[in-house]
Amino acid sequence: MAEILNPRAGIGMTSARTRDRMIERLREQGIRDEIVLSAMGMVPRHLFVDQALESRAYDDTALPIGFGQTISNPYIVARMAELARHGESSQGRMLGRVLEIGLGCGYQAAVLGKLAREVVSMERIAALVGRTRVRLRELRVNNVKPKHGDGMHGAKDFAPFDAIVIAAAFAEVPQALLAQLADGGRLVMPLGHATQTLCVIERQGDAFTERLLEGVNFVPLLSGVA
């Protein structure tokens, strides 16, 4: 997998060495899937934030991207990607089509794009979609399809999906999205309102198995478009 081209020279806090330190920290935090770690190392996070925030790009923290939204911290991006890929059990298998709910600045979509043949990413804020589409094009991320729409409904025209990754919290499991999950696929999402838990749901035929993992903190998923 080729690295995303970097139109901003990576020096100091944006250098490859800084990215390597992030990968080592992710290993220490428990990320075991080497395919995910490789993808995280290839996607330059500093190119997905404002230049004023570049020095903080590889810190394990969420950062503002405008419109009241944030870019998730590296650990949660890696953790959700690892779960979507079935962790180490998937070995070198590449996902087929993945649905992301919450395009934002495009960072998580770019990481998923290293792990799947195609990523369809929904975003309710039109201005974010336009800005991120330009960024992904400049970085030659060609297998991510940004879509403006209500993530509550998913992307039925592109279903089924090998994995669905939701970057905003639902109070309950969205049945419309479960219906778009392929047999054997996984849905990864923050579940809850005031208290949220990372949830993984796996489909086997018409049966769904749910697991609740660690606590997380995401903005709530809003309906409609803006």
Side-chain angles (χ1 to χ4, degrees):
M1 293 180 286
E3 182 173 358
I4 293 173
L5 295 182
N6 185 347
R8 297 185 211 161
I11 58 174
M13 289 301 292
T14 66
S15 68
R17 183 177 298 176
T18 304
R19 226 178 301 167
D20 290 342
R21 288 199 294 267
M22 178 189 74
I23 298 305
E24 289 309 310
R25 185 178 66 239
L26 290 172
R27 284 197 177 96
E28 293 169 0
Q29 291 173 305
I31 303 300
R32 296 287 177 261
D33 189 330
E34 289 296 327
I35 302 296
V36 169
L37 290 170
S38 177
M40 295 290 293
M42 285 188 288
V43 178
R45 190 171 186 254
H46 64 280
L47 299 183
F48 292 85
V49 300
D50 290 341
Q51 285 188 269
L53 296 173
E54 280 189 353
S55 64
R56 300 175 59 196
Y58 297 99
D59 293 348
D60 195 35
T61 186
L63 295 171
I65 59 171
F67 305 96
Q69 306 299 305
T70 61
I71 178 175
S72 295
N73 65 301
Y75 169 77
I76 198 64
V77 172
R79 179 67 167 138
M80 295 178 85
E82 182 176 61
L83 291 167
R85 262 182 40 85
H86 296 238
E88 295 180 24
S89 65
S90 61
Q91 297 179 356
R93 182 179 70 89
M94 176 169 277
L95 294 166
R97 182 174 286 164
V98 171
L99 174 63
E100 179 192 41
I101 305 298
L103 170 69
C105 66
Y107 174 68
Q108 181 170 263
V111 171
L112 291 171
K114 296 291 185 183
L115 308 171
R117 288 190 295 273
E118 182 180 45
V119 179
V120 178
S121 186
M122 302 295 298
E123 173 58 56
R124 65 181 297 273
I125 301 173
L128 262 181
V129 176
R131 188 171 74 183
T132 300
R133 183 177 283 121
V134 171
R135 175 184 290 118
L136 293 173
R137 187 181 303 121
E138 289 174 345
L139 297 176
R140 300 186 184 178
V141 181
N142 299 317
N143 65 333
V144 173
K145 298 182 181 297
K147 300 291 181 182
H148 181 226
D150 188 344
M152 292 279 191
H153 305 301
K156 189 176 180 180
D157 290 346
F158 295 91
F161 298 99
D162 287 345
I164 299 176
V165 177
I166 305 177
F170 276 79
E172 57 187 32
V173 177
Q175 298 301 309
L177 296 184
L178 287 180
Q180 296 176 29
L181 198 60
D183 190 7
R186 283 187 169 190
L187 184 150
V188 183
M189 61 176 289
L191 183 63
H193 183 55
T195 301
Q196 301 171 13
T197 307
L198 191 59
C199 176
V200 179
I201 300 173
E202 187 167 355
R203 180 173 191 169
Q204 295 293 341
D206 293 328
F208 296 88
T209 303
E210 179 180 310
R211 284 191 295 141
L212 297 177
L213 304 171
E214 65 257 41
V216 290
N217 184 26
F218 281 78
V219 297
L221 185 73
L222 301 177
S223 61
V225 294

